[in-house]
Amino acid sequence: MSHQYLSRIENLLRPEGNVLLNMTYDEAAGRVLSGDPKQVDEIDGQFAIMVSEGKTVRMARSIGRPLRYFLAKLADGPCLLVAERMDEIVARLKEMGIEDQFHPSYTRMVPAHHVVQIQLVGCPDPNPKYDRFFTPVRNNLPPDIDTIGQLYIARLAQECDLWLDTLSPKEPIGVLFSGGVDSGAVLVTMYDRLLKRGESPARLKAFTLRVDQCKGDASQAQQFVRHCNIEEILEIIDCDSGSLDWKETIRILEDYKPLDVQSGTMAIALCREIRNRYPDWKNLVDGDGGDENLKDYPIEENPELTIRSVLNNLMLYQEGWGVHAIKHSLTYSGGQSRGHIRTSAPAAFFGFRGFSPFSLPRVIEVAESIPFVELTQWDHQRLYELKGEVVRAGIRAVCGIDMPVFEKKRFQHGAMSSDRFETLFPKEESTYRFEFANLYPATRR
C-alpha cells in the first residue's frame, strides 16, 4: 500500500456508555470484530461498538445508543472518526485543524441491528457493507391476548432483572412516568422485580412532568399509582413553560423532526429538574419503544403509511423502510433507530444513565412474533386497542397487578396545555430544519 493510502481511525466512543446485560465490553467487542451476525445477535443490552483490524472497520449498535462516523481527508490518507454525536466529531476535527471539512450530511449513522463493515483501502473508499444481525421471527405466537401478554411482559421483566444485576442493591432508580401504558408497565415491572429480589422498592421513584400546573399527565399518573397501590413512589416535577426551548432541544438532539423535538423538549425539562433536585442521581428508566413494538401510532397522521405497510414490514417502526430502501437516510437511519435520540440524548446530556427495556432486541422479538393481522383483521381501531390489552394482561399475569389503561397521549401533549403547546412549537418542519442548519454554517459542500 502506498503512503498516500494509509488510513487512521479516531474512536471517540466511550465504552461506559454501553449497558451490556450478559457479557463484558471486551467480549461484546470481540463478537463485533468477528463480523459474524449470529455472534453479534447474542449481545444483550444497549450498545454501540466500533472495532478495527487492519484496514477493516466493523460497527454495530442497538436502538438504545446512537453510533455515527465521518471520513475526513488528511495529507497522508483518509481518517475515519467514530462517535456518538456530531458535535464530538466537530470538536475532534477542530483539534486537527480541519473543521472546514465538516457538514452534517457528510456524517453517517450506523443503522440499528446491523453490522456495518468499512474497508479503508484508499480513495475513494468503497461503500459500507450491511449485515443484519437481528431478524426476529414474525407471527409465530397464537392469537391469544393472555398468552401474548404474559410472554411479552415476562421478557420485559427478565431484561429489567438483568439490568438490576448491574446496579448496587441500594442505588436509586427513577422512571420517566406519564401514567401511560408503556411507562406504567415499566414502573410496575420494576417495582415487582425489586420486591421479588428482596430489595427495597423505596429506591424507586416515578418522575412525572407537570408544565404550568397542567393536570394532564400529572392527574393520570396520580390515578395510576393510586389504582396500583404504589402512591408513595410518585413525584411530580414542576416546571414553567417559559423554560422550554425547542431550539435548545435541536442542539441536544442534533435532529429536526418535529415530533421528536417536541417530545425531546419535555424530556429535557424533566431531566433538568430531576438533576436540580437530585445532583447525584444516576439511573433513569423509560418506556420508549413500547409504541413501536405494538405498532401503536395513528397511521392516519402519516400519508406514507397504510395499515398493510405497517403490519407487513418487519420492524417498520423500529428501523424505517430498511437500509436498502430509497427512503432510508444514511445520515439519520430510520424509525426508532433515528428517533430514540429524543430519549437517550436528554438523559445523557444531564449525566444520567438511561435504560429503555422496550427497545431491547430480546423484547422486540416477542413483539414481532405477535400475529397482528390475525388479531386485527386489518382494522385500525382494533390495532390501537391491542397494546393496552396485551400489556394489561401481561402485567396481571407476571406482576399480579391490574394496571389501568388510559387514552393514549403523546408525552408532549400530556405534560402541558394544548393552547400553550401551540404557541411554543412551530407547526412547519421547515422551521425546525432551518434551525438545525444554523448549527453548522456552510463551510464546504
Side-chain angles (χ1 to χ4, degrees):
M1 183 186 295
S2 64
H3 178 72
Q4 70 185 78
Y5 290 149
L6 289 175
S7 302
R8 60 186 275 195
I9 299 168
E10 297 275 334
N11 185 3
L12 308 177
L13 288 170
R14 299 176 299 278
E16 65 272 14
N18 295 297
V19 183
L20 297 170
L21 303 180
N22 64 338
M23 63 183 67
T24 66
Y25 175 81
D26 287 342
E27 289 171 326
R31 290 169 183 266
V32 175
L33 183 62
S34 75
D36 180 359
K38 183 177 179 181
Q39 289 193 47
V40 178
D41 186 37
E42 293 171 351
I43 303 172
D44 194 9
Q46 296 175 176
F47 64 92
I49 296 172
M50 188 283 282
V51 290
S52 63
E53 187 174 49
K55 300 185 292 281
T56 302
V57 177
R58 293 191 177 97
M59 297 173 281
R61 60 175 281 246
S62 64
I63 284 176
R65 192 179 177 205
L67 177 54
R68 190 174 290 280
Y69 61 97
F70 177 88
L71 192 63
K73 298 176 180 64
L74 302 178
D76 58 356
C79 175
L80 185 73
L81 290 89
V82 182
E84 186 169 330
R85 297 177 52 83
M86 291 181 188
D87 56 16
E88 293 172 328
I89 292 174
V90 173
R92 183 67 183 113
L93 290 173
K94 287 181 178 178
E95 292 174 2
M96 299 166 71
I98 54 173
E99 67 270 21
D100 65 325
Q101 293 190 21
F102 181 83
H103 190 270
S105 64
Y106 295 170
T107 65
R108 295 289 180 261
M109 175 73 81
V110 172
H113 307 147
H114 291 75
V115 179
V116 176
Q117 177 176 296
I118 298 175
Q119 294 289 340
L120 295 175
V121 296
C123 187
D125 293 284
N127 282 326
K129 175 187 175 185
Y130 300 97
D131 288 318
R132 173 178 287 282
F133 67 78
F134 175 54
T135 310
V137 178
R138 305 184 70 224
N139 306 315
N140 68 336
L141 287 179
D144 179 76
I145 297 295
D146 289 337
T147 300
I148 293 169
Q150 182 169 5
L151 290 171
Y152 185 56
I153 298 303
R155 184 62 58 83
L156 176 73
Q158 180 183 35
E159 297 297 270
C160 289
D161 249 337
L162 290 172
W163 180 73
L164 287 168
D165 287 342
T166 70
L167 307 184
S168 147
K170 295 184 179 179
E171 209 168 336
I173 301 164
V175 176
L176 304 184
F177 178 63
S178 68
V181 172
D182 299 318
S183 63
V186 168
L187 178 68
V188 172
T189 300
M190 279 290 180
Y191 186 88
D192 179 69
R193 298 328 296 168
L194 290 173
L195 286 177
K196 288 175 178 172
R197 292 163 65 96
E199 299 175 14
S200 172
R203 63 193 281 211
L204 187 66
K205 275 192 181 294
F207 294 117
T208 301
L209 180 66
R210 180 170 59 187
V211 180
D212 295 342
Q213 297 293 311
C214 174
K215 293 183 178 179
D217 280 355
S219 175
Q220 179 174 277
Q222 289 168 335
Q223 293 179 62
F224 187 103
V225 295
R226 189 178 304 122
H227 184 92
C228 296
N229 197 29
I230 52 175
E231 293 177 78
E232 69 280 359
I233 67 175
L234 178 63
E235 183 166 338
I236 304 296
I237 304 291
D238 283 301
C239 85
D240 186 277
S241 60
S243 67
L244 305 180
D245 182 357
W246 61 268
K247 294 182 179 181
E248 175 194 39
T249 303
I250 287 176
R251 292 193 295 274
I252 293 174
L253 267 55
E254 300 184 321
D255 204 346
Y256 51 81
K257 285 291 186 180
L259 291 175
D260 291 333
V261 173
Q262 294 160 9
S263 177
T265 300
M266 301 304 165
I268 289 168
L270 184 51
C271 288
R272 175 177 281 125
E273 293 304 320
I274 295 171
R275 177 56 70 220
N276 288 340
R277 291 191 186 189
Y278 301 101
D280 299 322
W281 200 285
K282 181 178 180 182
N283 300 296
L284 290 182
V285 190
D286 60 78
D288 206 20
D291 283 334
E292 288 81 0
N293 289 357
L294 275 297
K295 310 184 191 302
D296 188 28
Y297 282 113
I299 297 170
E300 299 83 359
E301 293 183 7
N302 189 333
E304 293 186 352
L305 297 181
T306 66
I307 192 167
R308 292 189 177 274
S309 63
V310 169
L311 299 188
N312 280 332
N313 285 277
L314 177 74
M315 293 184 287
L316 179 64
Y317 283 138
Q318 286 91 350
E319 298 182 359
W321 296 104
V323 297
H324 300 298
I326 290 176
K327 293 180 181 179
H328 179 74
S329 169
L330 294 174
T331 305
Y332 283 109
S333 187
Q336 194 193 2
S337 176
R338 171 182 187 167
H340 188 73
I341 197 77
R342 69 197 168 213
T343 299
S344 62
F349 183 81
F350 289 99
F352 294 107
R353 180 180 187 249
F355 180 59
S356 304
F358 275 125
S359 70
L360 297 177
R362 302 287 79 84
V363 179
I364 294 172
E365 69 183 357
V366 176
E368 282 296 302
S369 67
I370 297 172
F372 285 97
V373 174
E374 194 172 355
L375 286 169
T376 66
Q377 297 298 310
W378 308 107
D379 181 79
H380 290 214
Q381 190 56 43
R382 183 72 194 105
L383 177 62
Y384 304 150
E385 294 168 352
L386 192 60
K387 183 177 77 170
E389 295 177 6
V390 166
V391 173
R392 188 174 191 176
I395 290 293
R396 186 186 305 116
V398 175
C399 305
I401 293 177
D402 184 27
M403 65 170 261
V405 172
F406 300 103
E407 184 178 350
K408 178 180 173 63
K409 295 194 296 287
R410 295 185 189 274
F411 182 23
Q412 58 266 40
H413 297 150
M416 66 187 304
S417 71
S418 57
D419 290 344
R420 184 59 176 141
F421 179 89
E422 294 296 326
T423 64
L424 278 177
F425 291 101
K427 292 183 173 60
E428 301 298 326
E429 180 173 315
S430 59
T431 306
Y432 298 91
R433 189 188 292 265
F434 180 77
E435 181 63 27
F436 173 75
N438 285 339
L439 295 181
Y440 302 101
T443 53
R444 174 177 166 183
R445 298 289 179 97

